[in-house]
Amino acid sequence: MGKIKVTDCEIAGLYVIEPAVFGDSRGYFMETYNYNDFKEAGIDASFVQDNQSSSVKGVLRGLHFQIHYPQDKLVRVIRGEVFDVAVDLRKGSATYGRWHGEILSAENKKQMYIPKDFAHGFVVLSEEAEFAYKCTDFYHPDDEGGIAYNDPEIGIHWPVPEDMELIMSPKDRAWGSLAEFTQTYRQ
């Protein structure tokens, strides 16, 4: 191993990954994903789809998940900076409803591995950001789920300055609470 540093989070199965970066006067090189290195670190996932988005400062996307076709995700920022959040929605988990947040940026090159049955979202802190992620299942548009980003039961501490106006889709503004999700899907 040695090409990646994997740090456990306080929520089992959720990891922060730092790839080894090899730089010189020309720039840098890094492997953002190597199946063998990830498997050796205990992350055995087969990714089937890559996605990328571009957003301006203040855009908040999430908290999203797929209901019947859950996805593991490997997320990173290739330009700019975001605060990335994962919320544990695993039925019977000791950390159900708990969240972890991490600053991901083009500069720090950190990634977050988010296992199945987690809600995921991020807010853009830089003027613009490009966000890229791998998924272990395909996107199913009729299978979307979400939870309100500001649900007090979850209590995410978004590092948003008071003068920053959040930019959200109507769908993201309309998601329900963790309690509603629990009643509907986790009985």
Side-chain angles (χ1 to χ4, degrees):
M1 199 157 98
K3 292 182 188 171
I4 59 172
K5 175 185 173 189
V6 178
T7 304
D8 294 331
C9 296
E10 65 279 359
I11 301 173
L14 186 64
Y15 302 103
V16 174
I17 296 154
E18 297 174 74
V21 180
F22 305 96
D24 61 26
S25 62
R26 300 169 297 158
Y28 72 88
F29 172 83
M30 68 179 187
E31 283 185 359
T32 59
Y33 174 73
N34 179 303
Y35 175 79
N36 292 331
D37 289 346
F38 275 66
K39 186 174 180 183
E40 187 176 327
I43 303 169
D44 190 3
S46 297
F47 296 104
V48 298
Q49 182 174 322
D50 281 5
N51 300 310
Q52 185 168 327
S53 67
S54 175
S55 304
V56 296
K57 187 174 191 171
V59 167
L60 192 147
R61 296 183 187 266
L63 300 164
H64 302 148
F65 54 89
Q66 289 198 159
I67 300 164
H68 302 291
Y69 300 95
Q71 303 168 314
D72 297 25
K73 293 179 180 176
L74 179 61
V75 303
R76 65 190 180 104
V77 171
I78 56 178
R79 184 171 54 96
E81 179 178 87
V82 308
F83 182 68
D84 195 70
V85 174
V87 179
D88 188 353
L89 299 180
R90 297 172 295 183
K91 188 175 185 176
S93 170
T95 53
Y96 184 83
R98 286 191 44 201
W99 66 276
H100 176 83
E102 195 75 33
I103 297 284
L104 304 180
S105 70
E107 186 175 315
N108 72 20
K109 297 177 180 39
K110 288 182 180 181
Q111 300 178 72
M112 195 149 64
Y113 174 79
I114 303 166
K116 289 176 177 63
D117 296 321
F118 274 68
H120 171 255
F122 65 89
V123 64
V124 177
L125 303 176
S126 55
E127 290 304 313
E128 292 183 22
E130 285 187 59
F131 190 83
Y133 60 103
K134 299 178 162 313
C135 302
T136 57
D137 200 346
F138 298 102
Y139 171 67
H140 298 269
D142 297 332
D143 195 44
E144 288 182 318
I147 295 176
Y149 79 98
N150 59 352
D151 183 335
E153 184 180 351
I154 300 170
I156 298 170
H157 302 292
W158 297 95
V160 175
E162 286 189 31
D163 63 339
M164 180 190 283
E165 183 178 337
L166 293 179
I167 304 165
M168 300 173 64
S169 71
K171 185 171 23 178
D172 284 348
R173 288 195 183 278
W175 293 124
S177 68
L178 177 65
E180 292 168 318
F181 167 78
T182 302
Q183 289 174 348
T184 304
Y185 297 104
R186 294 294 187 238
Q187 291 185 8

